[in-house]
Amino acid sequence: MDSRQHDPFKTAFDSLEEFADFISQILNCPITIEDVNHRLLAYSTHDERTDQARISTIIGRRVPEKVINQLWKEGTIPALLQTREPIRVKNMDDIGLKSRVAISIWKQDEVLGFIWAIEINKILQEEEFELLKKAANSAANKLLQLQTRKNKNEEHSQEFFWKLLTGHLQGEKEIYDRFLALKITPSPSYAITVFQFPENITRKVEQNISYLLKTGQLAKIMLYTIDCNQLIVLVSAANIKDPFKQFNVFVQTFVYQMEERYHMKGIIPVYSSIYNDYQKISHAYKETLAVLSIKEKFPIETKEIFNYQKLGIYQLFEVILEKRKNEGYENYSLKKLQEYDQKHNSNLVETLEVYLNRDNNINDTAKELNVHANTLNYRLKRISEIGDINLKDPNQKMILFFDLKLEKCN
């Protein structure tokens, strides 16, 4: 049979399952068909030849995350997103993946999914590669129909999410009914996560975002939407022993993978407190915006803070700043120290700030300032004298800490 002239896939198929079985029959090897986010769409049946990666994919209806990550590291997925040719994938015993051949399913310039053929008891040759290319071409229209339906569902989901974020849906029953209408099971508890990108999110970046959210398994994503340069995500907090720790891992992993895989740098992740009332989603969203605002004003101090609860006293800064502006307040002690620094080219204000940042720890402060402990003690004595400050009084130290930080906002 000359596969270059004959195309056995130019026929109608009732389902993708039937199509997968037919490819398996033609190539004499197990077949799986996935969408672009590695969710299982169909697989060939009546075939005991398989490997652990395929078994896990069939059971979970998606490719395991460890397999996806390894295929990225090995360069397989990046290659599939660039070429229309079949790619041979080597044995990876550590993730239960036997030798196979993969090909992307394209529609114009967009990848819709993948076909995987496991090479068990045989090695596919050039003729079978040509057949696999024909199969991928035949699968495109079927996957395009699925994608069109999915896009319509996502439009309805995003409209619903924006109504929640802006507080336009009131009443627990109405909200739950809308969830169920979209075939989404609302989690008993949730948090809002926001990823702020350095620039407005383009269509291509949006596709990369969608891929990571749908293939990652560190968090259960219920809804997500994009607003200019922000990705907003509704994440389940149910059945997690330590949700704050888990969310930290989730947001940092997302940022890492966006940079590692797509060279997207400068993403700032934050997330809200945990709630169980969906009528409070708009409040949770406002919390994330407050965290972003604080992180923009204090990037160094809040570098490792992603959650509203962990902001501590930084939660109060914007309220106090507004009060300071309205009152025309000025901290007398700081003013005296600043005047002294300016006149004598010294750094008493910096010394005071580092000392307070380091919770009055002499050794840590001296190390950060790169001075001897005796030198630091002398400076602290001068700070007390010039600014009329009692560094043993927690009330004075607290207000100095506040005002040192608030000056950076002006």
Side-chain angles (χ1 to χ4, degrees):
M1 177 178 63
D2 187 354
S3 64
R4 297 179 190 276
Q5 296 177 357
H6 175 66
D7 187 349
F9 304 106
K10 279 190 175 179
T11 184
F13 295 93
D14 292 334
S15 67
L16 276 175
E17 287 77 11
E18 182 185 346
F19 185 59
D21 278 334
F22 188 68
I23 301 173
S24 177
Q25 178 186 333
I26 294 292
L27 298 182
N28 191 28
C29 61
I31 296 293
T32 55
I33 303 175
E34 305 162 9
D35 69 11
V36 71
N37 297 313
H38 306 294
R39 294 183 184 275
L40 181 66
L41 298 178
Y43 62 96
S44 57
T45 55
H46 313 299
D47 198 327
E48 295 180 357
R49 300 169 298 171
T50 190
D51 59 18
Q52 187 57 50
R54 185 171 188 262
I55 292 171
S56 299
T57 298
I58 292 171
I59 292 174
R61 307 301 299 177
R62 64 194 296 177
V63 180
E65 189 171 15
K66 67 177 182 179
V67 175
I68 296 171
N69 289 339
Q70 190 62 32
L71 290 172
W72 270 96
K73 291 176 184 176
E74 294 289 338
T76 301
I77 294 176
L80 285 170
L81 295 174
Q82 296 293 327
T83 182
R84 298 170 189 262
E85 297 296 318
I87 292 176
R88 176 163 276 118
V89 183
K90 66 179 183 180
N91 244 35
M92 300 182 197
D93 290 332
D94 54 330
I95 56 172
L97 190 120
K98 299 296 184 184
S99 175
R100 61 192 67 204
V101 173
I103 189 169
S104 303
I105 301 169
W106 291 78
K107 189 64 176 179
Q108 295 179 344
D109 294 327
E110 183 177 0
V111 175
L112 302 180
F114 311 99
I115 299 175
W116 299 80
I118 304 181
E119 296 182 306
I120 293 182
N121 300 331
K122 69 170 296 183
I123 300 297
L124 298 185
Q125 304 299 322
E126 182 181 350
E127 180 180 355
E128 287 141 332
F129 273 37
E130 291 298 322
L131 285 167
L132 201 53
K133 287 164 69 173
K134 295 180 189 301
N137 289 334
S138 296
N141 286 334
K142 199 74 174 177
L143 264 64
L144 189 62
Q145 293 172 13
L146 293 174
Q147 186 187 63
T148 301
R149 289 199 294 270
K150 181 189 72 173
N151 289 343
K152 288 181 179 177
N153 289 336
E154 287 184 353
E155 285 178 11
H156 293 309
S157 298
Q158 291 193 10
E159 178 186 0
F160 170 51
F161 194 19
W162 272 115
K163 287 182 177 180
L164 289 173
L165 290 169
T166 55
H168 281 82
L169 283 179
Q170 297 297 325
E172 186 175 349
K173 185 179 184 306
E174 180 185 5
I175 292 173
Y176 272 73
D177 286 346
R178 293 289 296 273
F179 267 117
L180 298 178
L182 292 167
K183 297 181 181 179
I184 300 171
T185 303
S187 170
S189 56
Y190 67 88
I192 293 291
T193 300
V194 174
F195 297 88
Q196 182 163 288
F197 286 64
E199 298 176 350
N200 283 353
I201 296 169
T202 64
R203 172 62 182 156
K204 180 61 179 176
V205 174
E206 185 177 346
Q207 290 175 342
N208 297 337
I209 288 169
S210 176
Y211 178 87
L212 287 185
L213 292 180
K214 291 176 180 177
T215 59
Q217 296 168 29
L218 290 173
K220 180 182 177 182
I221 310 299
M222 288 183 282
L223 293 165
Y224 75 92
T225 190
I226 288 170
D227 181 27
C228 296
N229 68 329
Q230 291 183 348
L231 165 65
I232 310 163
V233 187
L234 178 62
V235 187
S236 169
N239 303 318
I240 303 176
K241 184 177 180 181
D242 189 345
F244 291 124
K245 182 178 180 180
Q246 184 67 22
F247 288 160
N248 269 0
V249 173
F250 163 61
V251 300
Q252 290 180 88
T253 300
F254 179 88
V255 170
Y256 169 76
Q257 290 181 335
M258 283 298 297
E259 180 172 348
E260 180 192 42
R261 297 180 182 179
Y262 308 116
H263 314 294
M264 180 64 64
K265 298 181 179 181
I267 301 172
I268 302 172
V270 298
Y271 60 94
S272 70
S273 305
I274 295 171
Y275 292 89
N276 52 29
D277 183 352
Y278 282 89
Q279 297 174 89
K280 293 184 177 179
I281 279 189
S282 61
H283 180 74
Y285 178 44
K286 289 174 183 175
E287 277 189 3
T288 62
L289 298 182
V291 180
L292 283 171
S293 178
I294 291 296
K295 286 180 75 69
E296 287 173 0
K297 293 181 175 69
F298 307 100
I300 297 174
E301 293 89 342
T302 62
K303 182 179 180 182
E304 303 300 323
I305 297 176
F306 310 109
N307 169 243
Y308 187 79
Q309 294 285 334
K310 299 295 184 180
L311 278 178
I313 61 172
Y314 283 96
Q315 293 179 14
L316 308 175
F317 275 19
E318 291 193 331
V319 176
I320 297 173
L321 179 60
E322 190 64 28
K323 180 177 172 62
R324 289 282 193 264
K325 288 179 178 177
N326 292 334
E327 294 177 348
Y329 168 87
E330 189 174 32
N331 189 306
Y332 172 81
S333 296
L334 283 182
K335 183 180 179 182
K336 297 292 287 182
L337 291 173
Q338 288 163 346
E339 289 173 348
Y340 183 88
D341 278 347
Q342 189 172 10
K343 183 177 179 179
H344 297 88
N345 195 29
S346 56
N347 59 348
L348 296 184
V349 173
E350 178 193 7
T351 299
L352 175 61
E353 183 172 8
V354 174
Y355 178 68
L356 295 175
N357 284 343
R358 292 296 182 175
D359 195 24
N360 310 338
N361 186 296
I362 294 292
N363 290 331
D364 289 349
T365 305
K367 184 177 180 180
E368 182 169 339
L369 292 170
N370 196 28
V371 298
H372 193 275
N374 291 339
T375 302
L376 174 60
N377 281 319
Y378 172 76
R379 288 187 190 175
L380 293 175
K381 181 180 177 182
R382 292 294 292 148
I383 288 169
S384 296
E385 294 170 349
I386 295 166
D388 190 21
I389 300 168
N390 180 3
L391 289 175
K392 293 183 179 180
D393 184 345
N395 290 320
Q396 288 191 42
K397 288 188 291 185
M398 182 67 72
I399 202 66
L400 283 166
F401 180 81
F402 266 105
D403 288 336
L404 280 165
K405 301 303 180 185
L406 291 173
E407 282 198 349
K408 296 181 179 180
C409 299
N410 293 329

